Amino acid sequence: MCGIVGYAGGAQAAPILLHGLKKLEYRGYDSAGIAVRDASSAHIEVIKAKGRLDRLMDMTGGGQAVCGMSGVGHTRWATHGEPSAENAHPHYSREKRVVIVHNGIIENYQEIRDMLERRGYRFHTQTDTEAAALLLDCAYAGEDGNSPQERAVHAIRTTMLRLQGSYALGILFHDQPDVVYAARRDSPLVVGRCTGEAHGHILASDVPAVLSYTRDVVYLDNMEIARITKDTLDIYSIDAERISKPMMHITWDAQAAEKGGYEHFMIKEIHEQPAAVRDTLSPRIVSRNGAPDTDLTETGLTDEEIRRIQRVLFVGCGSAYHAGLVGVGVTEALARIPCSAELASELRYRNAPVQPGTLCVLISQSGETADSLAALRLCKEKGMKTLAIVNVVGSSIAREADAVLYTHAGPEIAVATTKAYSAQLAALYLLAVHLSSRRAAISPAQKQELLEALTALDGKIKQALGEKTRIQRFANTFAACRDVFFIGRGLDHALCMEGSLKLKEISYIHSEAYAAGELKHGAISLIEDGTLVIGAATQPQVFAKMLSGIAEVKSRGACVLALSAQADDRLAEAADFCIGLPGTHPLFAASVGVVPLQLLAYYIACERGLDVDKPRNLAKSVTVE
Ligand code: M6R
């Protein structure tokens, strides 16, 4: 979703803004723009273009043609108003007295627009953001603080209190040279101190945009305001009081956010899954009295609290929700606690009754998904204990949950999640083993068996990657297909949902995931000669049922690709193609089963010549509702 960059310092701003925006491209966008203030002429130059950032690069000679040492930049993912140069950010008031870039949605923009029009303001775009720009202009004009700084902070504060919705803002005032302001409510913003040639300060929606200049950042919290210049970084509360916040040091390797020789981020990230799973699991599997044990101290859950849990509620969106469905199956099987998974976007408006003793597990790669954040707040409000499984350190969900279990997948850039999903599964398995052993729902021998299987899981995922050439061949054959069905039972149904989502989002092929036993209740009428059906058969207790399910679709003309770890002649006969999966504990089979499904989606999208890492209409981090 929209990306913001701001810079004030000793170097030319435009190349830094463009470089930062490039690093935020993964978030998804349809237009881009920058505003740079030339201190000598007091002129703010605004350049905007529809389409890829390269266009803006060409228009500005990579930024070299724009003079000035402070500015803001933006990649826009359209919400209000079509993608166009006019609707692209920055937006500004008359004579560019106030220039802003915005990530989020201003919900009451129409009301603000009407009010401002009555006061003589004129609007030139269809965006909600222009209402925020003009409202800030109006507030700034009405402020009579002691200093420009005080006026600006008070005007921003007044504007923030009036705006409803979510926003991260980057702001320039025409009469404040070499200063950039920022403010946030429910949309992320980090501010970093740059050293070296770019000496100064930089702000952005996400860390990759600042990593070339700094590793020392402050995460802005909700309803905070920042002011950056070459030499200073000031942060204010919504009461306009100066506050001090600790700098955090980013430890990632900048290379981790580069393609490293792969054609796309997605295929690189698929290959990084063994490491993501190992790094998530290994620090939390320790040796106690000669046997492996879980160490989940970071969840803050005492053994007594664990014994009192009555229900576990897994919440997320998209793939994170699919991981939650696996969490349900594994936790119920091992810990014997009733569990359910909810889509965050549904939970927030469902007024679900709260069961005392519910542990709410929020799952999110970005930690910034608007629906998941709102669901987290709701669960907290209702008195639930909340545990976040999050990949991005310091993100909103990580900060607001009672406790965090970080996944260690590293930065994930491709819009289609792969390694973060796998790391989420790993964290959920660990949690399930931990809860079940602390509740004495499994024996020490079972625990040992499960933890040994987890320790070997990265190797199994690596083995599953070994099938990629066969999968690529298969993908090339089926790249032109129109509909695909994924069928499975139990944990395989959750796996199928993830496989189907991967295919849909990057190949634009219609696909559905069905519980295999449910197909005959309606959807089987869609199966015709040549329909591709992917059957997942990793669960021994329903293996025979899956054979029947596959036979049912086969006899109606389907072409079946089966996935199984079980070498069984009956499956080989029933299906047209089989992909053998490495054997693991059946409860952890989604982790190996997902690999061929990710590869299939990837190679089909490549064969169709699509933009794999940045599929149409999608954003990496969905920070609006
Ligand atoms: O950052 P989050 O994990 O909260 O994101 C949730 C979904 O938006 C995300 O999983 C989405 O479904 C992916 N694009 C799927 O590949």
Side-chain angles (χ1 to χ4, degrees):
M1 227 141 247
C2 309
I4 286 181
V5 184
Y7 171 77
Q12 288 300 318
I16 294 175
L17 297 174
L18 290 168
H19 174 83
L21 292 178
K22 192 91 197 138
K23 299 289 175 189
L24 296 180
E25 271 194 309
Y26 72 91
R27 294 166 73 87
Y29 69 101
D30 45 53
S31 51
I34 55 171
V36 176
R37 188 182 201 291
D38 183 353
S40 54
S41 67
H43 171 69
I44 298 180
E45 187 162 359
V46 175
I47 302 149
K48 316 199 264 189
K50 183 182 167 187
R52 292 281 173 221
L53 204 53
D54 291 343
R55 175 131 174 66
L56 201 61
M57 292 273 193
D58 290 347
M59 288 163 74
T60 60
Q64 302 300 333
V66 189
C67 192
M69 295 185 173
S70 61
V72 290
H74 188 265
T75 45
R76 172 175 189 249
W77 189 84
T79 57
H80 297 65
E82 56 169 15
S84 66
E86 293 69 46
N87 288 335
H89 300 209
H91 290 289
Y92 44 86
S93 60
R94 199 158 43 92
E95 291 157 12
K96 298 190 191 124
R97 289 185 305 203
V98 171
V99 177
I100 75 169
V101 289
H102 164 222
N103 172 18
I105 286 185
I106 307 299
E107 287 169 0
N108 57 342
Y109 79 99
Q110 191 59 54
E111 177 195 309
I112 292 171
R113 200 175 161 126
D114 293 345
M115 180 274 288
L116 290 170
E117 277 175 341
R118 283 196 297 276
R119 293 191 185 192
Y121 278 89
R122 289 285 156 265
F123 284 76
H124 301 96
T125 77
Q126 301 149 308
T127 63
D128 52 336
T129 303
E130 197 179 7
L134 271 50
L135 182 67
L136 180 57
D137 178 280
C138 181
Y140 193 53
E143 281 295 339
D144 51 1
N146 290 328
S147 62
Q149 180 169 339
E150 197 177 302
R151 271 182 69 206
V153 171
H154 278 94
I156 294 171
R157 169 185 189 276
T158 309
T159 305
M160 289 171 80
L161 292 174
R162 184 74 197 264
L163 296 177
Q164 286 167 12
S166 63
Y167 49 82
L169 301 172
I171 306 162
L172 304 178
F173 291 98
H174 78 296
D175 57 354
Q176 295 201 38
D178 298 330
V179 188
V180 178
Y181 289 87
R184 73 155 275 182
R185 174 188 189 165
D186 289 349
S187 284
L189 266 183
V190 291
V191 187
R193 184 189 300 133
C194 313
T195 48
E197 278 181 20
H199 170 77
H201 288 91
I202 186 165
L203 59 91
S205 304
D206 199 0
V207 170
V210 308
L211 270 189
S212 303
Y213 310 103
T214 181
R215 291 178 166 274
D216 295 316
V217 300
V218 173
Y219 289 89
L220 275 202
D221 276 303
N222 263 343
M223 305 308 273
E224 288 180 351
I225 300 166
R227 176 184 187 271
I228 59 170
T229 67
K230 179 167 163 239
D231 299 314
T232 57
L233 160 59
D234 298 316
I235 299 178
Y236 300 85
S237 70
I238 191 64
D239 300 320
E241 302 286 347
R242 281 270 296 275
I243 49 179
S244 70
K245 292 178 71 101
M247 280 269 170
M248 289 177 70
H249 189 71
I250 305 292
T251 51
W252 308 344
D253 181 355
Q255 302 260 310
E258 304 294 336
K259 277 191 208 150
Y262 285 92
E263 200 177 335
H264 298 104
F265 279 110
M266 183 174 175
I267 190 70
K268 173 181 176 247
E269 288 161 5
I270 287 174
H271 281 91
E272 285 172 345
Q273 291 182 107
V277 167
R278 188 178 52 246
D279 294 348
T280 300
L281 291 172
S282 62
R284 288 140 176 166
I285 301 179
V286 296
S287 175
R288 264 192 203 109
N289 306 323
D293 197 4
T294 49
D295 181 352
L296 291 190
T297 321
E298 63 221 282
T299 61
L301 291 166
T302 63
D303 290 358
E304 184 47 36
E305 277 174 318
I306 291 175
R307 282 191 285 273
R308 284 205 305 262
I309 294 173
Q310 302 286 317
R311 177 173 171 242
V312 185
L313 172 63
F314 297 91
V315 183
C317 301
S319 297
Y321 167 69
H322 298 157
L325 290 171
V326 175
V328 171
V330 178
T331 312
E332 283 192 338
L334 294 178
R336 311 304 300 158
I337 308 173
C339 299
S340 55
E342 291 260 9
L343 289 164
S345 54
E346 287 295 313
L347 179 69
R348 42 186 307 202
Y349 298 111
R350 217 163 62 72
N351 192 18
V354 184
Q355 195 169 321
T358 299
L359 170 68
C360 173
V361 180
L362 256 301
I363 308 166
S364 175
Q365 187 285 128
S366 61
E368 300 292 351
T369 301
D371 284 319
S372 303
L373 184 59
L376 164 71
R377 289 180 184 156
L378 182 85
C379 291
K380 284 184 79 171
E381 228 173 81
K382 293 194 168 190
M384 292 180 212
K385 169 103 184 168
T386 55
L387 169 65
I389 294 183
V390 169
N391 196 43
V392 176
V393 176
S395 54
S396 302
I397 293 178
R399 280 177 295 142
E400 292 192 28
D402 295 323
V404 196
L405 190 56
Y406 278 115
T407 48
H408 297 309
E412 190 179 63
I413 308 297
V415 164
T417 181
T418 53
K419 63 174 179 169
Y421 166 81
S422 286
Q424 286 164 355
L425 292 186
L428 288 162
Y429 300 151
L430 261 185
L431 183 66
V433 175
H434 186 70
L435 298 183
S436 52
S437 79
R438 298 307 187 267
R439 290 164 73 96
I442 53 171
S443 66
Q446 279 173 306
K447 176 164 76 175
Q448 175 147 358
E449 185 201 349
L450 289 160
L451 291 178
E452 281 170 2
L454 284 183
T455 308
L457 197 57
D458 60 326
K460 305 287 180 181
I461 295 173
K462 205 170 185 170
Q463 247 178 284
L465 284 164
E467 286 279 18
K468 72 176 177 191
T469 315
R470 277 188 72 212
I471 294 168
Q472 183 168 13
R473 272 204 302 271
F474 184 86
N476 293 347
T477 313
F478 282 92
C481 65
R482 220 185 37 180
D483 300 294
V484 181
F485 286 82
F486 290 76
I487 59 171
R489 285 175 168 249
L491 287 172
D492 282 342
H493 181 214
L495 165 66
C496 285
M497 290 171 81
E498 178 57 10
S500 169
L501 179 63
K502 284 292 86 91
L503 186 68
K504 280 189 271 253
E505 68 181 329
I506 62 167
S507 77
Y508 315 150
I509 293 174
H510 165 254
S511 82
E512 297 200 29
Y514 251 82
E518 186 61 16
L519 212 58
K520 58 184 174 290
H521 295 290
I524 200 162
S525 64
L526 295 169
I527 306 289
E528 50 188 30
D529 260 356
T531 306
L532 178 58
V533 175
I534 320 271
T538 74
Q539 300 298 298
Q541 76 283 16
V542 285
F543 186 77
K545 303 282 172 205
M546 273 309 294
L547 288 177
S548 317
I550 289 173
E552 277 167 19
V553 291
K554 255 318 283 173
S555 61
R556 281 154 184 91
C559 174
V560 179
L561 169 68
L563 304 182
S564 179
Q566 212 162 309
D568 191 302
D569 291 345
R570 290 168 301 165
L571 187 66
E573 266 169 42
D576 297 274
F577 305 90
C578 280
I579 298 288
L581 299 174
T584 178
H585 194 293
L587 288 177
F588 308 147
S591 290
V592 289
V594 78
V595 174
L597 301 185
Q598 296 165 340
L599 289 168
L600 183 68
Y602 173 75
Y603 286 122
I604 288 183
C606 289
E607 182 65 17
R608 289 164 75 99
L610 299 171
D611 190 348
V612 175
D613 286 336
K614 297 190 279 289
R616 69 183 179 203
N617 303 338
L618 292 179
K620 180 67 181 163
S621 172
V622 185
T623 50
V624 297
E625 195 179 341

